[in-house]
Amino acid sequence: MSYGLIIVLIIILGISLWHAKKYRRAVVNQVAHVWIMKNAFEHTALGMAIVSPDCRFLKINRAYGEISGYTRPELLKMAVKELTHPEDQEKDTPYLQEVFAGNIHSFTTVKRYIHKNGSTIWVRSTISAVRTERGNLKYFVAQIQDMTIAKNAEDELRKSRDNAEVLARTDYLTKTLNRRAFIERLQEELERTKRTQEGFAMILVDIDYFKKVNDQFGHLAGDYVLQKFADCLSNNVRPYDFIGRYGGEEFIICLPDTDIEQAVLVAERMRESVEALEVDYLHAQIKVTGSFGVAVYDSHSSDTLDELIERADAAMYVAKNHKNTVYQWVS
């Protein structure tokens, strides 16, 4: 064997050894990478799953099972939709359609799951598509985060804000609108009337001889009478009518889309209801009546709300001269 051939063989052998070493290093790195990814998938606090294109579970990590309450074998027999609250089952559909069309790669929604124990939990769900080199959908990577505590806290905060707003607009004693809230609502009704060309009616009512109730039975009895009086009014209006406590023992009612004849009938029905009322307080029965003034707002009128209220008040003043009666304002 010539010296040159030996040199060539040595070079070839060296190159082969170098490639073999490089290959072994690549294999070791790949194994390490797979091990890291596997552990990251398994031990992350996020619920993670590999999901088939038809949305069935292929692989689930520990956290996914803990969040949903199901074991891995149970989840592997299920589709994602089976976990989802019935009202939220179509929430992902528009986004999935976009993924299948290739328009988006991933999306996030907040929806409800049904825990294995039957309780409702809120999750933030992120779905990402994994595709082949040719662009075909291979599978989804799904991540879920339990948002139940945060969502419940958010709902409680919203409820508290709503309650605070209601309290700010409501008369604490009679649970009708307070004067400010009524006027705001009335202004909205005026604007609506201008658009629809429909008028509305106003009733202003005062409890007759209310001072005698306070003097004879005390202010707590008077408060109780105010509550029962307001109930009588409320029981004789439609869902879209609204009532406010205008001050002291005066109440004001707005009747949308109502003419003067209809409003007088409503006021008369209220008057009869109040007249039949017997308020049981301690060992006494308290009876009261009311004086009702009625006025209407014509959609073609240029009158202000103050002028309308003044007309209803003038009509009520006439009614109070007779007590327990209904009087309509006439120009």
PDB file of all heavy atoms in Angstrom, residues 58-87:
ATOM      1  N   LEU A  58     -55.828  14.310  22.161  1.00  0.00           N
ATOM      2  CA  LEU A  58     -54.812  13.321  21.815  1.00  0.00           C
ATOM      3  C   LEU A  58     -53.791  13.164  22.948  1.00  0.00           C
ATOM      4  O   LEU A  58     -53.271  12.077  23.171  1.00  0.00           O
ATOM      5  CB  LEU A  58     -54.088  13.740  20.535  1.00  0.00           C
ATOM      6  CG  LEU A  58     -54.957  13.894  19.277  1.00  0.00           C
ATOM      7  CD1 LEU A  58     -54.113  14.409  18.119  1.00  0.00           C
ATOM      8  CD2 LEU A  58     -55.613  12.565  18.913  1.00  0.00           C
ATOM      9  N   LYS A  59     -53.504  14.260  23.622  1.00  0.00           N
ATOM     10  CA  LYS A  59     -52.524  14.243  24.712  1.00  0.00           C
ATOM     11  C   LYS A  59     -52.889  15.359  25.679  1.00  0.00           C
ATOM     12  O   LYS A  59     -53.253  16.450  25.260  1.00  0.00           O
ATOM     13  CB  LYS A  59     -51.108  14.440  24.162  1.00  0.00           C
ATOM     14  CG  LYS A  59     -49.997  14.306  25.205  1.00  0.00           C
ATOM     15  CD  LYS A  59     -48.643  14.426  24.530  1.00  0.00           C
ATOM     16  CE  LYS A  59     -47.497  14.345  25.545  1.00  0.00           C
ATOM     17  NZ  LYS A  59     -47.471  13.040  26.235  1.00  0.00           N
ATOM     18  N   ILE A  60     -52.792  15.078  26.988  1.00  0.00           N
ATOM     19  CA  ILE A  60     -53.191  16.044  28.013  1.00  0.00           C
ATOM     20  C   ILE A  60     -52.129  16.093  29.088  1.00  0.00           C
ATOM     21  O   ILE A  60     -51.574  15.064  29.463  1.00  0.00           O
ATOM     22  CB  ILE A  60     -54.538  15.646  28.668  1.00  0.00           C
ATOM     23  CG1 ILE A  60     -55.639  15.471  27.618  1.00  0.00           C
ATOM     24  CG2 ILE A  60     -54.978  16.691  29.683  1.00  0.00           C
ATOM     25  CD1 ILE A  60     -55.907  14.043  27.290  1.00  0.00           C
ATOM     26  N   ASN A  61     -51.833  17.283  29.591  1.00  0.00           N
ATOM     27  CA  ASN A  61     -50.885  17.369  30.702  1.00  0.00           C
ATOM     28  C   ASN A  61     -51.619  17.304  32.039  1.00  0.00           C
ATOM     29  O   ASN A  61     -52.863  17.302  32.107  1.00  0.00           O
ATOM     30  CB  ASN A  61     -49.998  18.610  30.590  1.00  0.00           C
ATOM     31  CG  ASN A  61     -50.724  19.897  30.967  1.00  0.00           C
ATOM     32  OD1 ASN A  61     -51.948  19.936  31.051  1.00  0.00           O
ATOM     33  ND2 ASN A  61     -49.965  20.958  31.184  1.00  0.00           N
ATOM     34  N   ARG A  62     -50.862  17.285  33.093  1.00  0.00           N
ATOM     35  CA  ARG A  62     -51.416  17.135  34.437  1.00  0.00           C
ATOM     36  C   ARG A  62     -52.368  18.281  34.788  1.00  0.00           C
ATOM     37  O   ARG A  62     -53.448  18.067  35.336  1.00  0.00           O
ATOM     38  CB  ARG A  62     -50.259  17.087  35.447  1.00  0.00           C
ATOM     39  CG  ARG A  62     -50.673  17.109  36.912  1.00  0.00           C
ATOM     40  CD  ARG A  62     -49.445  17.162  37.814  1.00  0.00           C
ATOM     41  NE  ARG A  62     -48.530  18.212  37.421  1.00  0.00           N
ATOM     42  CZ  ARG A  62     -48.690  19.505  37.725  1.00  0.00           C
ATOM     43  NH1 ARG A  62     -49.746  19.888  38.428  1.00  0.00           N
ATOM     44  NH2 ARG A  62     -47.814  20.407  37.336  1.00  0.00           N
ATOM     45  N   ALA A  63     -51.967  19.517  34.478  1.00  0.00           N
ATOM     46  CA  ALA A  63     -52.765  20.678  34.866  1.00  0.00           C
ATOM     47  C   ALA A  63     -54.138  20.683  34.193  1.00  0.00           C
ATOM     48  O   ALA A  63     -55.127  21.106  34.801  1.00  0.00           O
ATOM     49  CB  ALA A  63     -52.009  21.967  34.523  1.00  0.00           C
ATOM     50  N   TYR A  64     -54.202  20.202  32.953  1.00  0.00           N
ATOM     51  CA  TYR A  64     -55.491  20.171  32.246  1.00  0.00           C
ATOM     52  C   TYR A  64     -56.476  19.291  33.005  1.00  0.00           C
ATOM     53  O   TYR A  64     -57.647  19.625  33.163  1.00  0.00           O
ATOM     54  CB  TYR A  64     -55.303  19.666  30.819  1.00  0.00           C
ATOM     55  CG  TYR A  64     -56.331  20.180  29.837  1.00  0.00           C
ATOM     56  CD1 TYR A  64     -55.999  21.126  28.882  1.00  0.00           C
ATOM     57  CD2 TYR A  64     -57.649  19.728  29.879  1.00  0.00           C
ATOM     58  CE1 TYR A  64     -56.944  21.610  27.987  1.00  0.00           C
ATOM     59  CE2 TYR A  64     -58.596  20.203  28.995  1.00  0.00           C
ATOM     60  CZ  TYR A  64     -58.237  21.146  28.052  1.00  0.00           C
ATOM     61  OH  TYR A  64     -59.189  21.633  27.173  1.00  0.00           O
ATOM     62  N   GLY A  65     -55.965  18.154  33.475  1.00  0.00           N
ATOM     63  CA  GLY A  65     -56.820  17.261  34.242  1.00  0.00           C
ATOM     64  C   GLY A  65     -57.237  17.871  35.567  1.00  0.00           C
ATOM     65  O   GLY A  65     -58.386  17.736  35.997  1.00  0.00           O
ATOM     66  N   GLU A  66     -56.307  18.577  36.226  1.00  0.00           N
ATOM     67  CA  GLU A  66     -56.623  19.186  37.515  1.00  0.00           C
ATOM     68  C   GLU A  66     -57.658  20.289  37.363  1.00  0.00           C
ATOM     69  O   GLU A  66     -58.548  20.448  38.200  1.00  0.00           O
ATOM     70  CB  GLU A  66     -55.354  19.746  38.152  1.00  0.00           C
ATOM     71  CG  GLU A  66     -54.375  18.658  38.607  1.00  0.00           C
ATOM     72  CD  GLU A  66     -53.078  19.239  39.141  1.00  0.00           C
ATOM     73  OE1 GLU A  66     -52.884  20.470  38.981  1.00  0.00           O
ATOM     74  OE2 GLU A  66     -52.274  18.479  39.701  1.00  0.00           O
ATOM     75  N   ILE A  67     -57.550  21.079  36.291  1.00  0.00           N
ATOM     76  CA  ILE A  67     -58.503  22.168  36.071  1.00  0.00           C
ATOM     77  C   ILE A  67     -59.897  21.625  35.764  1.00  0.00           C
ATOM     78  O   ILE A  67     -60.897  22.118  36.290  1.00  0.00           O
ATOM     79  CB  ILE A  67     -58.017  23.090  34.928  1.00  0.00           C
ATOM     80  CG1 ILE A  67     -56.758  23.841  35.366  1.00  0.00           C
ATOM     81  CG2 ILE A  67     -59.109  24.080  34.516  1.00  0.00           C
ATOM     82  CD1 ILE A  67     -56.087  24.628  34.259  1.00  0.00           C
ATOM     83  N   SER A  68     -59.960  20.579  34.925  1.00  0.00           N
ATOM     84  CA  SER A  68     -61.254  20.045  34.500  1.00  0.00           C
ATOM     85  C   SER A  68     -61.832  19.022  35.464  1.00  0.00           C
ATOM     86  O   SER A  68     -63.039  18.754  35.453  1.00  0.00           O
ATOM     87  CB  SER A  68     -61.129  19.407  33.112  1.00  0.00           C
ATOM     88  OG  SER A  68     -60.295  18.260  33.175  1.00  0.00           O
ATOM     89  N   GLY A  69     -60.971  18.421  36.301  1.00  0.00           N
ATOM     90  CA  GLY A  69     -61.431  17.411  37.244  1.00  0.00           C
ATOM     91  C   GLY A  69     -61.435  16.001  36.687  1.00  0.00           C
ATOM     92  O   GLY A  69     -61.728  15.042  37.410  1.00  0.00           O
ATOM     93  N   TYR A  70     -61.098  15.852  35.394  1.00  0.00           N
ATOM     94  CA  TYR A  70     -61.113  14.533  34.763  1.00  0.00           C
ATOM     95  C   TYR A  70     -59.706  13.917  34.752  1.00  0.00           C
ATOM     96  O   TYR A  70     -58.704  14.633  34.745  1.00  0.00           O
ATOM     97  CB  TYR A  70     -61.625  14.622  33.317  1.00  0.00           C
ATOM     98  CG  TYR A  70     -63.106  14.914  33.219  1.00  0.00           C
ATOM     99  CD1 TYR A  70     -63.578  16.224  33.145  1.00  0.00           C
ATOM    100  CD2 TYR A  70     -64.032  13.880  33.191  1.00  0.00           C
ATOM    101  CE1 TYR A  70     -64.935  16.497  33.053  1.00  0.00           C
ATOM    102  CE2 TYR A  70     -65.398  14.143  33.088  1.00  0.00           C
ATOM    103  CZ  TYR A  70     -65.839  15.448  33.022  1.00  0.00           C
ATOM    104  OH  TYR A  70     -67.180  15.702  32.925  1.00  0.00           O
ATOM    105  N   THR A  71     -59.647  12.587  34.708  1.00  0.00           N
ATOM    106  CA  THR A  71     -58.371  11.901  34.565  1.00  0.00           C
ATOM    107  C   THR A  71     -57.968  11.906  33.098  1.00  0.00           C
ATOM    108  O   THR A  71     -58.781  12.168  32.206  1.00  0.00           O
ATOM    109  CB  THR A  71     -58.473  10.450  35.048  1.00  0.00           C
ATOM    110  OG1 THR A  71     -59.393   9.730  34.181  1.00  0.00           O
ATOM    111  CG2 THR A  71     -58.979  10.381  36.491  1.00  0.00           C
ATOM    112  N   ARG A  72     -56.703  11.619  32.834  1.00  0.00           N
ATOM    113  CA  ARG A  72     -56.243  11.570  31.438  1.00  0.00           C
ATOM    114  C   ARG A  72     -56.999  10.542  30.620  1.00  0.00           C
ATOM    115  O   ARG A  72     -57.437  10.852  29.499  1.00  0.00           O
ATOM    116  CB  ARG A  72     -54.742  11.282  31.399  1.00  0.00           C
ATOM    117  CG  ARG A  72     -53.914  12.409  31.961  1.00  0.00           C
ATOM    118  CD  ARG A  72     -52.455  12.167  31.686  1.00  0.00           C
ATOM    119  NE  ARG A  72     -51.632  12.721  32.749  1.00  0.00           N
ATOM    120  CZ  ARG A  72     -50.458  13.267  32.561  1.00  0.00           C
ATOM    121  NH1 ARG A  72     -49.943  13.310  31.352  1.00  0.00           N
ATOM    122  NH2 ARG A  72     -49.769  13.749  33.563  1.00  0.00           N
ATOM    123  N   PRO A  73     -57.156   9.291  31.128  1.00  0.00           N
ATOM    124  CA  PRO A  73     -57.913   8.316  30.324  1.00  0.00           C
ATOM    125  C   PRO A  73     -59.324   8.798  30.000  1.00  0.00           C
ATOM    126  O   PRO A  73     -59.831   8.548  28.903  1.00  0.00           O
ATOM    127  CB  PRO A  73     -57.933   7.071  31.235  1.00  0.00           C
ATOM    128  CG  PRO A  73     -56.719   7.193  32.080  1.00  0.00           C
ATOM    129  CD  PRO A  73     -56.573   8.663  32.334  1.00  0.00           C
ATOM    130  N   GLU A  74     -59.955   9.503  30.939  1.00  0.00           N
ATOM    131  CA  GLU A  74     -61.309  10.011  30.682  1.00  0.00           C
ATOM    132  C   GLU A  74     -61.280  11.081  29.602  1.00  0.00           C
ATOM    133  O   GLU A  74     -62.126  11.086  28.693  1.00  0.00           O
ATOM    134  CB  GLU A  74     -61.899  10.585  31.975  1.00  0.00           C
ATOM    135  CG  GLU A  74     -62.278   9.525  32.999  1.00  0.00           C
ATOM    136  CD  GLU A  74     -62.692  10.106  34.333  1.00  0.00           C
ATOM    137  OE1 GLU A  74     -62.194  11.200  34.690  1.00  0.00           O
ATOM    138  OE2 GLU A  74     -63.513   9.482  35.027  1.00  0.00           O
ATOM    139  N   LEU A  75     -60.323  12.000  29.682  1.00  0.00           N
ATOM    140  CA  LEU A  75     -60.246  13.082  28.697  1.00  0.00           C
ATOM    141  C   LEU A  75     -59.923  12.559  27.305  1.00  0.00           C
ATOM    142  O   LEU A  75     -60.409  13.098  26.303  1.00  0.00           O
ATOM    143  CB  LEU A  75     -59.201  14.109  29.129  1.00  0.00           C
ATOM    144  CG  LEU A  75     -59.597  15.016  30.294  1.00  0.00           C
ATOM    145  CD1 LEU A  75     -58.410  15.815  30.795  1.00  0.00           C
ATOM    146  CD2 LEU A  75     -60.722  15.970  29.896  1.00  0.00           C
ATOM    147  N   LEU A  76     -59.086  11.521  27.230  1.00  0.00           N
ATOM    148  CA  LEU A  76     -58.698  10.979  25.921  1.00  0.00           C
ATOM    149  C   LEU A  76     -59.866  10.326  25.196  1.00  0.00           C
ATOM    150  O   LEU A  76     -59.764  10.021  24.007  1.00  0.00           O
ATOM    151  CB  LEU A  76     -57.548   9.978  26.091  1.00  0.00           C
ATOM    152  CG  LEU A  76     -56.211  10.602  26.502  1.00  0.00           C
ATOM    153  CD1 LEU A  76     -55.169   9.522  26.789  1.00  0.00           C
ATOM    154  CD2 LEU A  76     -55.702  11.546  25.412  1.00  0.00           C
ATOM    155  N   LYS A  77     -60.971  10.106  25.889  1.00  0.00           N
ATOM    156  CA  LYS A  77     -62.172   9.561  25.254  1.00  0.00           C
ATOM    157  C   LYS A  77     -63.181  10.660  24.922  1.00  0.00           C
ATOM    158  O   LYS A  77     -64.272  10.378  24.441  1.00  0.00           O
ATOM    159  CB  LYS A  77     -62.837   8.551  26.200  1.00  0.00           C
ATOM    160  CG  LYS A  77     -61.999   7.318  26.505  1.00  0.00           C
ATOM    161  CD  LYS A  77     -62.704   6.414  27.506  1.00  0.00           C
ATOM    162  CE  LYS A  77     -61.834   5.209  27.850  1.00  0.00           C
ATOM    163  NZ  LYS A  77     -62.485   4.340  28.880  1.00  0.00           N
ATOM    164  N   MET A  78     -62.797  11.910  25.180  1.00  0.00           N
ATOM    165  CA  MET A  78     -63.745  13.021  25.050  1.00  0.00           C
ATOM    166  C   MET A  78     -63.336  13.994  23.947  1.00  0.00           C
ATOM    167  O   MET A  78     -62.183  14.036  23.530  1.00  0.00           O
ATOM    168  CB  MET A  78     -63.848  13.781  26.379  1.00  0.00           C
ATOM    169  CG  MET A  78     -64.326  12.945  27.549  1.00  0.00           C
ATOM    170  SD  MET A  78     -64.179  13.813  29.145  1.00  0.00           S
ATOM    171  CE  MET A  78     -65.371  15.136  28.907  1.00  0.00           C
ATOM    172  N   ALA A  79     -64.316  14.778  23.522  1.00  0.00           N
ATOM    173  CA  ALA A  79     -64.064  15.921  22.641  1.00  0.00           C
ATOM    174  C   ALA A  79     -64.109  17.186  23.493  1.00  0.00           C
ATOM    175  O   ALA A  79     -64.719  17.209  24.564  1.00  0.00           O
ATOM    176  CB  ALA A  79     -65.117  15.995  21.535  1.00  0.00           C
ATOM    177  N   VAL A  80     -63.453  18.246  23.026  1.00  0.00           N
ATOM    178  CA  VAL A  80     -63.408  19.496  23.774  1.00  0.00           C
ATOM    179  C   VAL A  80     -64.817  20.006  24.069  1.00  0.00           C
ATOM    180  O   VAL A  80     -65.109  20.512  25.159  1.00  0.00           O
ATOM    181  CB  VAL A  80     -62.599  20.559  23.011  1.00  0.00           C
ATOM    182  CG1 VAL A  80     -62.620  21.886  23.757  1.00  0.00           C
ATOM    183  CG2 VAL A  80     -61.171  20.090  22.789  1.00  0.00           C
ATOM    184  N   LYS A  81     -65.726  19.845  23.114  1.00  0.00           N
ATOM    185  CA  LYS A  81     -67.086  20.357  23.268  1.00  0.00           C
ATOM    186  C   LYS A  81     -67.795  19.727  24.464  1.00  0.00           C
ATOM    187  O   LYS A  81     -68.661  20.348  25.081  1.00  0.00           O
ATOM    188  CB  LYS A  81     -67.879  20.116  21.979  1.00  0.00           C
ATOM    189  CG  LYS A  81     -69.281  20.695  21.989  1.00  0.00           C
ATOM    190  CD  LYS A  81     -69.965  20.562  20.643  1.00  0.00           C
ATOM    191  CE  LYS A  81     -69.429  21.565  19.645  1.00  0.00           C
ATOM    192  NZ  LYS A  81     -70.252  21.625  18.413  1.00  0.00           N
ATOM    193  N   GLU A  82     -67.429  18.491  24.803  1.00  0.00           N
ATOM    194  CA  GLU A  82     -68.078  17.814  25.927  1.00  0.00           C
ATOM    195  C   GLU A  82     -67.750  18.476  27.259  1.00  0.00           C
ATOM    196  O   GLU A  82     -68.492  18.334  28.232  1.00  0.00           O
ATOM    197  CB  GLU A  82     -67.675  16.338  25.962  1.00  0.00           C
ATOM    198  CG  GLU A  82     -68.170  15.534  24.757  1.00  0.00           C
ATOM    199  CD  GLU A  82     -67.687  14.104  24.800  1.00  0.00           C
ATOM    200  OE1 GLU A  82     -68.105  13.368  25.706  1.00  0.00           O
ATOM    201  OE2 GLU A  82     -66.869  13.726  23.930  1.00  0.00           O
ATOM    202  N   LEU A  83     -66.622  19.180  27.326  1.00  0.00           N
ATOM    203  CA  LEU A  83     -66.261  19.907  28.542  1.00  0.00           C
ATOM    204  C   LEU A  83     -66.936  21.270  28.612  1.00  0.00           C
ATOM    205  O   LEU A  83     -67.114  21.827  29.689  1.00  0.00           O
ATOM    206  CB  LEU A  83     -64.752  20.130  28.599  1.00  0.00           C
ATOM    207  CG  LEU A  83     -63.847  18.959  28.972  1.00  0.00           C
ATOM    208  CD1 LEU A  83     -62.396  19.416  28.933  1.00  0.00           C
ATOM    209  CD2 LEU A  83     -64.184  18.418  30.340  1.00  0.00           C
ATOM    210  N   THR A  84     -67.310  21.789  27.465  1.00  0.00           N
ATOM    211  CA  THR A  84     -67.761  23.176  27.368  1.00  0.00           C
ATOM    212  C   THR A  84     -69.207  23.326  27.807  1.00  0.00           C
ATOM    213  O   THR A  84     -70.053  22.480  27.515  1.00  0.00           O
ATOM    214  CB  THR A  84     -67.601  23.678  25.922  1.00  0.00           C
ATOM    215  OG1 THR A  84     -66.273  23.412  25.470  1.00  0.00           O
ATOM    216  CG2 THR A  84     -67.865  25.163  25.830  1.00  0.00           C
ATOM    217  N   HIS A  85     -69.495  24.421  28.504  1.00  0.00           N
ATOM    218  CA  HIS A  85     -70.860  24.740  28.914  1.00  0.00           C
ATOM    219  C   HIS A  85     -71.741  24.815  27.671  1.00  0.00           C
ATOM    220  O   HIS A  85     -71.334  25.370  26.638  1.00  0.00           O
ATOM    221  CB  HIS A  85     -70.865  26.093  29.645  1.00  0.00           C
ATOM    222  CG  HIS A  85     -72.152  26.414  30.319  1.00  0.00           C
ATOM    223  ND1 HIS A  85     -73.266  26.849  29.632  1.00  0.00           N
ATOM    224  CD2 HIS A  85     -72.519  26.365  31.630  1.00  0.00           C
ATOM    225  CE1 HIS A  85     -74.247  27.063  30.486  1.00  0.00           C
ATOM    226  NE2 HIS A  85     -73.825  26.776  31.705  1.00  0.00           N
ATOM    227  N   PRO A  86     -72.967  24.253  27.733  1.00  0.00           N
ATOM    228  CA  PRO A  86     -73.842  24.231  26.550  1.00  0.00           C
ATOM    229  C   PRO A  86     -74.017  25.587  25.882  1.00  0.00           C
ATOM    230  O   PRO A  86     -74.070  25.677  24.644  1.00  0.00           O
ATOM    231  CB  PRO A  86     -75.176  23.702  27.107  1.00  0.00           C
ATOM    232  CG  PRO A  86     -74.789  22.874  28.287  1.00  0.00           C
ATOM    233  CD  PRO A  86     -73.581  23.552  28.882  1.00  0.00           C
ATOM    234  N   GLU A  87     -74.090  26.661  26.666  1.00  0.00           N
ATOM    235  CA  GLU A  87     -74.303  27.987  26.087  1.00  0.00           C
ATOM    236  C   GLU A  87     -73.054  28.539  25.411  1.00  0.00           C
ATOM    237  O   GLU A  87     -73.139  29.532  24.679  1.00  0.00           O
ATOM    238  CB  GLU A  87     -74.779  28.960  27.172  1.00  0.00           C
ATOM    239  CG  GLU A  87     -76.152  28.608  27.741  1.00  0.00           C
ATOM    240  CD  GLU A  87     -76.587  29.571  28.834  1.00  0.00           C
ATOM    241  OE1 GLU A  87     -75.872  30.562  29.059  1.00  0.00           O
ATOM    242  OE2 GLU A  87     -77.641  29.328  29.457  1.00  0.00           O
TER     243      GLU A  87
END
